[in-house]
Amino acid sequence: MARLIDLVARRLTEYWPGAEIGPLLAAYEFAAAAHRGQRRLSGEPYVCHPVAVANILTTIEADPASLVAALLHDTVEDNDSVGLADIAERFGDTVASLIDGVTKLRRLDFASREEDQASNLRKMLLAMARDLRVVLIKLADRLHNLRTLWPLPPDTRRAKAEESLYIFAPLAHRLGVWRMKAEMEDLSFRYLEPRAYWTIRRQLGQSQAERESLTRHYQANLRNKLLAAGLPAEVFGRAKHIYSIWRKMQTEDLPIESIRDLIGLRILLHTEAQCYQALGVVHDLWHPIPGEFSDYIANPKSNRYQSLHTKVLGEHGGPVEIQIRTWEMHRVAEYGVAAHWRYKEGTTDAAFDEQIAWLRRLLELSSDLAEQHDYWETVQGELLSSQVFVFSPKGQVFDLPAGSTPLDFAYRVHTDVGNHCAGARVNGKPVALDYRLRTGDVVEIVTSVSAEPRLEWLNIARSSHAKAKVRRYLRAKARHESIEAGHQAVLRALEHLPAAERARAKLDRLSEVAAQLGFPDQDSLFAAVGYGDVEASTIARRICEEEQRRPTSLAEEVQLKLPSIESAASTQALPVATTGGGSILARPARCCNPVPGDTISGYITRGGGIAVHRAECPNIRYRAAREPERIIPLVWGPRDEGQIFRVWIEVVAVDRRGLLSHIAAIVSDSDINITAAQARTDAPGLAKLWLELEVHERRQLDHLLERMRLVADVVTVREVPRHMVPTGALNASDESRPHVSG
């Protein structure tokens, strides 16, 4: 490890003149002490990992603060004796802030349900907006983990590889860090499609000597021609990475033997003018292939990538891909946003701001899109799409996903321009809204105050950004129409009531009725009537009822809304089996109420039946210590798809009116029924709420508990055994009470 940290220090001083290595070496000593005795699954000392992460960051010329944070990024989470305050005191607030951001990113799970993925993406984007270096450290952390995945179980390896290929590699691409992106894709591909990976690698190996010989020939030929033209250029061979070859095989439906453009060259010069001169030399030396030229110097990609790309036919008849760029362009292409901190720290940088404009757009949509799947789709579209570059009439460059239409361009300019788009001109000529834009097009949008989004626009728009804006407008319009329809329906329902009832109608009670039914306001109530979810006659009768005293606390709200619900003891048979495979009859133990997904054990009762306990239940542990012969290991067996299991949860929350409606809405949205409820004031300003729920499995309950913890006024929420629920909510039997060991 000492040799590797010395290498990190040496590299830092090479690309960052004047950098002090003292903090770097101090961070290594601190990390080594914090991780002493800890080992990775491979058996290596754990400190190898943060040092390797710092070493990866030197390959993209990361700043000194990022390297120090990389060395310390696991110390806070993996060591109870180390806190952020300790880091800040010894290494400064910037390093502590970076470590805090990386620690939070480690807890994000992108292999979870779609709504969780969207929520976690929001958190990642916010972390990026605060300091992009947080994500650079995370990318380096993930890359080293990919290099050392082999000790993990196959399912875990696959999950990490999928997450890397579909989330982190596209992020690296968007941030312009080509070095990390290419290796991350190849390593992920290796675990996701091992047969294809090794087949391509083996076939590349068989032809490697021939390709290397041909590449050296082309390099020498081209270098001589450039020098003869007075251009001081360096010419390098450029290898295609395995994942990019596989993608080309898939998109063009070709075997690897038919892919001939495996040879690539890169020309590095000092000025833009020399790049265009070199392009002339290349096209004079070899015949250019039509349609295979791209000028990313005049039209940079959104991640600030600049280069001239061309494809030519070499003298041996095969295609050769050539990139031409300046040394500075090459540094940006290789290191991406990491290059920003080298010269720009503490100053504004218009090019850098333009490079992360996509991040600002996604953050704006984060508060714009109510539907999680819309946001997930938008982020994926923004990260994964290839691009075209078009111009406004004033010459401003816009990057759009490949296949975009004038409608996508309109929404990129401004939401109002998109919402009132009535037509478009491309290169001065009128075109249909579904015209496919090409790089270099000049696009002008014709607007009209009477134009508005229509449902068919969802088929015209190609960018997820534009589709999200269209959906939002259509939903808002549909909601407005539903509110008006619901309002009129309630007024008509009032007219059909007897005159005596109608005389008691008080429209100012609509907000109260909305709250009673779990709606945030009366517009939401009218919208529900308009959608057909609530009967207009129900609302009409409610506003004609004698006004009731409004509940002032959570306990009163439960009593008013759920006055007669009492829990019945669950006696259903559980779908369990012995570890040997034999099915048995069993019932749930009331002390811990196991549900599918829990680890379980069985206790043979005196009457001969089997009570199923969660493995961590104190009762089963007590029995196991005293009557081990009555304990049998169990597993969950096949069960009916609709089978339900009852559990109790306890919620401690700020005592306020309306909280029950909020909680009930979350429970309902999770497709869970409430079968009993009890509440009481537990302390000044706090209330306790107990709910009996019907769930299908442990994962469903855990997801609900996570959602409820996010409610602002909820202090704690947990699952509890029956004996901890007040007797007003159920009649507990003796069996439900715990056994206390002497």
Side-chain angles (χ1 to χ4, degrees):
M1 276 302 98
R3 293 178 62 186
L4 185 55
I5 193 63
D6 288 343
L7 175 63
V8 171
R10 188 174 73 251
R11 284 180 172 175
L12 173 63
T13 55
E14 287 173 355
Y15 68 76
W16 201 288
E20 296 182 5
I21 65 170
L24 194 72
L25 299 178
Y28 168 70
E29 295 295 337
F30 189 93
H35 294 301
R36 185 170 290 118
Q38 298 176 3
R39 292 192 174 272
R40 307 192 82 209
L41 290 179
S42 62
E44 296 176 305
Y46 192 87
V47 74
C48 294
H49 171 64
V51 175
V53 172
N55 187 46
I56 290 171
L57 287 173
T58 63
T59 65
I60 60 169
E61 298 192 353
D63 68 308
S66 295
L67 298 186
V68 172
L71 289 169
L72 302 170
H73 76 275
D74 282 334
T75 56
V76 173
E77 191 166 30
D78 292 350
N79 197 312
D80 294 336
S81 63
V82 178
L84 283 173
D86 302 318
I87 300 294
E89 183 179 350
R90 295 195 57 172
F91 300 99
D93 291 337
T94 298
V95 171
S97 176
L98 291 174
I99 292 171
D100 185 39
V102 175
T103 300
K104 290 174 180 175
L105 288 187
R106 281 189 64 183
R107 298 169 185 160
L108 302 185
D109 177 15
F110 295 100
S112 55
R113 293 162 50 120
E114 185 177 271
E115 60 194 78
D116 295 331
Q117 290 173 331
S119 174
N120 287 334
L121 275 171
R122 281 187 170 100
K123 294 173 185 175
M124 174 174 281
L125 294 173
L126 286 170
M128 291 169 65
R130 294 188 186 103
D131 196 325
L132 277 171
R133 289 175 291 185
V134 169
V135 176
L136 292 176
I137 297 170
K138 177 63 181 176
L139 289 173
D141 173 71
R142 175 49 59 95
L143 180 54
H144 183 249
N145 283 333
L146 283 174
R147 290 175 179 175
T148 55
L149 271 186
W150 55 268
L152 298 178
D155 289 347
T156 305
R157 291 201 300 261
R158 186 171 185 85
K160 293 292 183 186
E162 284 183 346
E163 190 178 270
S164 302
L165 188 61
Y166 299 119
I167 299 293
F168 292 107
L171 264 179
H173 167 72
R174 266 305 197 172
L175 295 174
V177 192
W178 184 87
R179 284 186 174 219
M180 288 190 185
K181 169 189 178 287
E183 186 178 356
M184 202 172 284
E185 285 179 340
D186 276 0
L187 290 171
S188 300
F189 179 54
R190 173 182 172 182
Y191 288 106
L192 294 174
E193 299 288 346
R195 181 175 298 178
Y197 173 87
W198 290 109
T199 298
I200 295 173
R201 183 165 175 173
R202 184 174 61 254
Q203 290 176 313
L204 287 177
Q206 291 170 352
S207 61
Q208 185 174 359
E210 181 183 346
R211 281 186 291 109
E212 288 180 350
S213 173
L214 202 53
T215 300
R216 286 194 296 269
H217 169 76
Y218 286 142
Q219 280 179 267
N221 200 358
L222 180 56
R223 187 181 292 111
N224 292 336
K225 290 291 184 181
L226 291 169
L227 289 174
L231 293 173
E234 290 287 345
V235 182
F236 299 94
R238 185 177 60 86
K240 273 197 169 186
H241 64 293
I242 294 175
Y243 181 67
S244 67
I245 294 172
W246 180 79
R247 286 192 64 182
K248 183 163 187 175
M249 291 168 60
Q250 299 301 306
T251 55
E252 299 183 15
D253 194 22
L254 294 172
I256 190 171
E257 296 83 5
S258 301
I259 298 180
R260 303 175 64 198
D261 53 343
L262 296 177
I263 295 176
L265 301 176
R266 181 176 290 138
I267 305 172
L268 299 182
L269 304 113
H270 299 290
T271 67
E272 286 187 16
Q274 289 174 345
C275 291
Y276 288 101
Q277 287 179 269
L279 178 67
V281 172
V282 170
H283 285 178
D284 184 54
L285 177 61
W286 295 307
H287 184 73
I289 299 175
E292 295 291 343
F293 169 70
S294 298
D295 186 347
Y296 295 118
I297 293 181
N299 302 301
K301 291 187 177 183
S302 58
N303 58 13
R304 287 177 69 193
Y305 176 88
Q306 288 183 287
S307 189
L308 298 176
H309 287 195
T310 188
K311 190 178 287 187
V312 298
L313 286 175
E315 57 258 37
H316 291 78
V320 181
E321 290 185 342
I322 298 176
Q323 297 174 350
I324 309 171
R325 61 178 70 147
T326 66
W327 285 96
E328 176 60 21
M329 293 173 191
H330 179 63
R331 194 172 67 84
V332 172
E334 292 287 291
Y335 310 147
V337 294
H340 167 76
W341 278 272
R342 186 172 184 179
Y343 302 118
K344 306 295 184 181
E345 190 168 18
T347 66
T348 58
D349 180 359
F352 177 74
D353 291 340
E354 183 179 340
Q355 183 178 5
I356 62 170
W358 62 274
L359 174 58
R360 289 197 301 273
R361 291 198 300 273
L362 290 178
L363 287 173
E364 289 167 6
L365 281 175
S366 175
S367 58
D368 219 17
L369 297 176
E371 297 294 331
Q372 299 279 25
H373 65 270
D374 285 353
Y375 189 68
W376 176 247
E377 176 189 300
T378 300
V379 174
Q380 283 189 312
E382 189 74 38
L383 290 179
L384 300 176
S385 62
S386 54
Q387 296 164 299
V388 295
F389 300 88
V390 298
F391 297 88
S392 70
K394 294 183 179 180
Q396 185 179 2
V397 181
F398 290 85
D399 61 298
L400 295 167
S404 289
T405 66
L407 194 59
D408 298 293
F409 174 83
Y411 276 104
R412 267 299 303 279
V413 173
H414 196 278
T415 300
D416 287 340
V417 174
N419 285 342
H420 297 290
C421 177
R425 297 186 186 94
V426 174
N427 303 325
K429 298 179 181 179
V431 296
L433 287 182
D434 61 357
Y435 171 86
R436 295 293 182 91
L437 297 174
R438 292 173 290 189
T439 293
D441 283 343
V442 179
V443 189
E444 180 183 359
I445 300 299
V446 179
T447 60
S448 169
V449 292
S450 60
E452 64 176 2
R454 302 185 297 275
L455 187 62
E456 56 265 29
W457 281 16
L458 291 173
N459 295 324
I460 294 175
R462 289 292 178 269
S463 69
S464 49
H465 175 88
K467 287 184 177 182
K469 292 291 186 180
V470 172
R471 286 195 193 101
R472 185 170 185 266
Y473 184 94
L474 294 176
R475 285 192 186 120
K477 181 181 178 182
R479 175 177 166 82
H480 177 76
E481 292 172 349
S482 296
I483 290 171
E484 182 59 28
H487 191 186
Q488 296 302 319
V490 171
L491 293 178
R492 288 194 300 272
L494 280 171
E495 293 175 358
H496 287 85
L497 291 177
E501 283 189 59
R502 196 163 59 245
R504 296 198 301 270
K506 293 183 179 180
L507 293 177
D508 59 358
R509 289 198 61 221
L510 279 166
S511 295
E512 180 183 341
V513 171
Q516 290 173 355
L517 296 176
F519 295 99
D521 50 49
Q522 66 182 48
D523 277 353
S524 299
L525 176 63
F526 283 141
V529 175
Y531 292 143
D533 294 338
V534 178
E535 293 289 339
S537 57
T538 301
I539 308 305
R541 285 194 299 272
R542 288 237 181 182
I543 61 177
C544 294
E545 293 173 354
E546 294 292 338
E547 187 169 359
Q548 299 177 355
R549 184 173 68 85
R550 299 170 73 181
T552 59
S553 69
L554 180 62
E556 287 190 7
E557 196 174 1
V558 170
Q559 291 172 1
L560 289 172
K561 293 187 176 182
L562 302 166
S564 60
I565 296 179
E566 289 290 337
S567 172
S570 174
T571 58
Q572 68 185 123
L574 290 187
V576 297
T578 62
T579 53
S583 297
I584 59 173
L585 294 176
R587 58 179 174 78
R590 296 174 185 170
C591 52
C592 57
N593 245 28
V595 297
D598 292 331
T599 304
I600 54 175
S601 292
Y603 172 70
I604 303 173
T605 64
R606 302 293 179 185
I610 295 177
V612 182
H613 293 257
R614 292 167 65 176
E616 65 270 22
C617 175
N619 281 354
I620 196 71
R621 291 180 178 177
Y622 172 82
R623 297 295 190 189
R626 284 158 175 74
E627 302 175 291
E629 71 281 359
R630 289 181 174 271
I631 307 301
I632 58 173
L634 297 176
V635 294
W636 292 99
R639 64 183 189 276
D640 294 337
E641 190 172 323
Q643 189 169 8
I644 58 173
F645 302 84
R646 289 183 175 179
V647 296
W648 281 92
I649 65 170
E650 176 191 82
V651 183
V652 179
V654 175
D655 193 10
R656 66 163 172 85
R657 181 173 54 84
L659 181 60
L660 178 64
S661 298
H662 193 169
I663 291 174
I666 293 174
V667 175
S668 176
D669 187 52
S670 299
D671 196 25
I672 294 174
N673 291 326
I674 299 175
T675 55
Q678 177 76 2
R680 73 180 183 205
T681 301
D682 195 55
L686 290 179
K688 275 189 179 179
L689 170 67
W690 292 269
L691 299 174
E692 187 182 47
L693 309 174
E694 292 182 335
V695 300
H696 298 288
E697 59 181 350
R698 168 62 48 190
R699 185 169 50 185
Q700 185 186 26
L701 177 62
D702 289 343
H703 176 66
L704 171 67
L705 296 181
E706 283 301 315
R707 290 189 62 184
M708 292 180 68
R709 290 185 182 106
L710 298 176
V711 177
D713 290 327
V714 170
V715 180
T716 62
V717 58
R718 60 174 180 158
E719 184 185 358
V720 293
R722 288 169 174 263
H723 71 270
M724 292 184 63
V725 181
T727 54
L730 73 148
N731 297 316
S733 68
D734 290 341
E735 185 191 355
S736 69
R737 303 189 181 280
H739 302 279
V740 181
S741 60

